[in-house]
Amino acid sequence: MNKLPHITINTERLLLRPLTALDKNGFAQLLMNKEIAKTFMIPSFARKEDYLELAAKIIANGINQSHLAYGIYLGDILIGFMNDCGFDDEEMEIGYALDPDYWNKGYMSEALKAMIAELFAFGFQRIVAGYFEDNPASGKVMENCLMKRTEHKETIEYQGKMHKCLYMEIGRKD
């Protein structure tokens, strides 16, 4: 698979679309959000410029379609994002984050469900996602999207703390 999807996806309440250079500041704000950084593995930088540089790099990889880099929008407001954490011709591991101001409203489940459907339509056979055990809300989002727990678990050091990472998946034929 040479190029990844690069389309706009409309859901009942949301718009999912590839991030663009115009989204750099809003995306960097999400990357700098301390609540998001607790459970979404983001490098910790001292300077805002470093977050802007990271945002620009991720956006560029999405624009050239070598990686998935989508924004989640409520109206014109960037409220979250999705990106790939690796993929091959059959499988994609996906990561996601949502501005805490929009948690517990079903937005992430709505967005992930739509993205899974699009990735299956694009030809992927399996979608995988991981979450820290101490973030059961993310596991619930995956369950809402009919993903099932796998046997795969990892212990990951992040922000000076050990985290148990659990994985869920959904296959195209599930």
Side-chain angles (χ1 to χ4, degrees):
M1 198 164 295
N2 293 332
K3 300 283 185 181
L4 289 173
H6 205 256
I7 63 163
T8 297
I9 304 167
N10 290 291
T11 70
E12 185 178 325
R13 302 176 293 171
L14 303 171
L15 172 73
L16 283 67
R17 67 165 175 77
L19 290 162
T20 70
L22 297 175
D23 298 310
K24 184 172 78 168
N25 288 329
F27 184 37
Q29 285 300 126
L30 290 169
L31 295 173
M32 289 187 289
N33 185 291
K34 298 296 181 204
E35 285 301 309
I36 289 173
K38 286 179 184 177
T39 57
F40 188 89
M41 294 179 64
I42 301 167
S44 183
F45 298 120
R47 302 174 328 126
K48 181 178 181 178
E49 292 78 18
D50 294 324
Y51 287 100
L52 288 166
E53 187 177 309
L54 176 61
K57 181 179 177 183
I58 293 169
I59 289 168
N61 285 336
I63 289 170
N64 73 25
Q65 295 174 267
S66 63
H67 285 281
L68 188 76
Y70 268 64
I72 303 167
Y73 301 83
L74 182 61
D76 292 336
I77 302 168
L78 177 63
I79 65 169
F81 61 90
M82 288 188 195
N83 67 299
D84 74 88
C85 303
F87 64 92
D88 58 31
D89 286 344
E90 298 282 319
E91 175 182 300
M92 178 179 284
E93 182 177 344
I94 195 163
Y96 54 79
L98 191 68
D99 183 319
D101 291 343
Y102 299 90
W103 288 356
N104 301 311
K105 294 174 175 41
Y107 293 132
M108 199 65 247
S109 294
E110 185 176 329
L112 182 58
K113 205 173 287 181
M115 183 58 75
I116 288 170
E118 184 57 38
L119 291 171
F120 284 158
F122 194 70
F124 286 98
Q125 299 300 309
R126 190 165 74 139
I127 308 302
V128 177
Y131 68 98
F132 290 160
E133 185 175 47
D134 58 357
N135 183 16
S138 189
K140 184 68 175 159
V141 165
M142 293 176 206
E143 286 175 8
N144 290 343
C145 296
L146 306 178
M147 297 179 84
K148 305 272 191 264
R149 281 279 303 273
T150 70
E151 297 294 318
H152 183 66
K153 298 174 184 159
E154 289 183 291
T155 301
I156 298 171
E157 183 181 352
Y158 175 61
Q159 293 186 342
K161 196 173 147 188
M162 299 306 286
H163 297 270
K164 188 177 196 180
C165 190
L166 308 174
Y167 289 86
M168 297 184 82
E169 67 180 28
I170 186 169
R172 189 175 189 170
K173 295 178 179 42
D174 287 350

